[in-house]
Structures are given as C-alpha cells and as structure tokens.
Amino acid sequence: MQTEPSNEVAAIVDSLKGAIHEKVVVNWLWPAIIVGGAVVLGLVIERVILARLRKLADRTEWQGDEIIIDALRGIITTLLVIIGLFFASYSLPIHPSWLALLHKVLKVLLILCGTVALSRMAVGFARLSSVGAEGEIKSASILVYIARASVYLIGVLIILQSLGVSITPLLTALGVGGLAVALALQDTLSNLFAGIHVLASRKVRPGDYIRLETGQEGNVVDISWRTTTIKAPANHLIIVPNTRVASSIVLDFDQPDRETIVVIGLGVGYDSDLGKVERVTIDVAKAVLTEIDGGVPTFEPVVRFTEFGDYAIKFNVILRSRQFGDQFLLKHEFIRRIHERYCKEGIVIPYPVREIVTRGDKS
C-alpha cells in the first residue's frame, strides 16, 4: 500500500521534468537555430557571393563597385544576425518589458551597422574623388574626416530619433555652440575651408609635384583639415598651412599633363659643322629616350640653336620625361653619352675663353 503513492509521485515528477525539458527545447532551441542559420547564411554570402562579385568588380574600370563591395564585408553577417535575433526574440520566455528593451537595442545595432557601411562607402568615394595624377587613389585626409564625421553624425541623430529623443533642441544648441566655436577657431576653420577649396578646384591633387612661390617644392603627400604636407626631393616633409597653398602662386608640374619637357643647354666651337652637330645630338637624344626608364620613346627630340656666345655657338636640346622626377636621370645619361659621342665624332665643346686687354703705363 505504501509503494503506490510513491509511484504516483515519481510519475508526476517525471511528467514535470518532461514538460520543462520540452518547454526549454521549444523556447531556446528554435531561437538558437534561427541565429545559427543567420550566421551561416551571412558567411556564405560574404565568402562566396561577395568574393565572386569582387572578382567581377576587378575587371571593370569604375572603382566604385569595389568600394561598395569592400564596405559590405563583415556588415552582412552582422545584419543577418541582428535580424535573426529580432525574430528569435519572440520565442524567448522573457517579460514583455525586457523584450521591448531588447528590440530597441537591436534597432540601435541595426542603425549602427548601416552607419558603418555608409561611412566606409563615403570614405572610399572621398578618396576616389582625389585620384592622383597617374590614376591611383591618393590620400586626402580632409575629405576622409569630413565624410566619416558627417555619416556618423547623421547616424547618431537617427538613433536618438528612433529612441524617442527630440533632436530639435540638440540641433539648436549645436547651432549656438557652433557659432561660438567658429569665432574662437577662425584660423583653424579658414585652413579647413581652404583645404576644401583646394581639393574641390582640383588645382592641386595629392601626388602632384608642385613648387610654391616661396621656393619649396616636392610631391603633395596629404591635404588634411589644417595643413598640406609636401615631401621634398631630399626626403623631408614640408608642412604648409592650407591658406598659404590656396592664396600663393603654385607651379604644378603634373597638370595638365604629367609628362615634362627637359631642356639641356650645350655649346660647340665656331668651326663645328652645325648640321653634323644636330644629327649626332638628335641620335644620342633618341637613344636616351628609348633606353632609359623615365623617357618618352615616342617623343621626337629637338635641337634649337639660340645664340652666338662669347666662345661657343649655344643651343638647347629638348627631351621629354614621363614625370618631373625622371628628368634628373635623363639629364645625367644624356650628358654622359653626348660627351662620349662628341669625342668620337671630333666635335669640340670649347672651354670658356675670355680675352683680357690691359692698358700700358703712360709714364
């Protein structure tokens, strides 16, 4: 008689355990499957579909498709996981107030993911807009800063609006505070807008070789929110305020064409055959342009006699280099070869001669 009640209690306990286990499986297993499926789907899209799209984008001339695809890396999986958590949350045994809080958090994360993706795209297109002289994307940090800050500012405002926070008083406060900041940072803001003007006008581009009216010259490394950085041929940096660059006379050797004319002055003796001098010089110049890296092989070198000098007939040899920095090697090689060839051909490069006449002593 005593075993029957104990058997009934055991059966009730087993049934409760089974019900609890079944409830746990229903409440937690399906959400885990949904989230896991979202992760797998995101990885498949990124590692298979995006990878193939990236290969197709490499074949196109437009670089914008590569920027868009690269901006989505890591974002698609995160977005799918957030969406999966949103749908899985309805199966979770949690209080409605906690569920509402979870949905707000997921909404914020969703907006953040979109903001990050748009920020990457904005930065990529900002860099694309400052394409260098050879077509490669150069650094222009001022555009990068403005693009990233603008997108994140808009993202924060959207998040506050989605959370029910009124942004009108915030915008009003920012306007009043911005006026005070503008008055306090006049020099900084003038450099900022000067940098924007320089980039927008495309008169100076990152990567260009420029010379300022003050004599400094070199390649433009970066145009930031306050200064322009120039790398001099001696491998040191020149930091110039943007207002100086915008207001000074700038000689840009890479615009409108990066190829540069190279002028080399020479002189030969008065007894030289000028026709032979011209033929030999052009022959050497063609060989230099063809064989030396940095020369333009399709360019026809030119010889132009300029004047009867004190001790020689002077003339200029005109070559063409691919860019400003290549002219130094071309000059070196041309001078070395032309001296060797003139010696073989018997063409004399005279020494400077000056006749000095002295008056005798009248006494």
Side-chain angles (χ1 to χ4, degrees), residues 22-68:
E22 183 179 356
K23 188 174 182 181
V24 169
V25 170
V26 171
N27 291 338
W28 294 99
L29 180 60
W30 284 112
I33 292 175
I34 294 174
V35 175
V39 173
V40 173
L41 180 60
L43 293 177
V44 170
I45 292 176
E46 290 193 2
R47 297 187 178 183
V48 179
I49 299 177
L50 278 186
R52 293 183 178 179
L53 290 176
R54 187 65 169 80
K55 292 180 180 180
L56 293 175
D58 291 337
R59 302 174 185 175
T60 61
E61 296 182 358
W62 187 53
Q63 296 176 324
D65 48 7
E66 301 173 9
I67 294 173
I68 295 174

Side-chain angles (χ1 to χ4, degrees), residues 10 15 21 40 66 70 136 182 225 237 255 273 289 293 296 360:
S15 62
H21 179 71
V40 173
E66 301 173 9
D70 292 339
E136 73 274 17
W225 60 277
L237 297 179
Q255 295 196 51
D273 182 353
L289 292 178
D293 187 24
V296 181

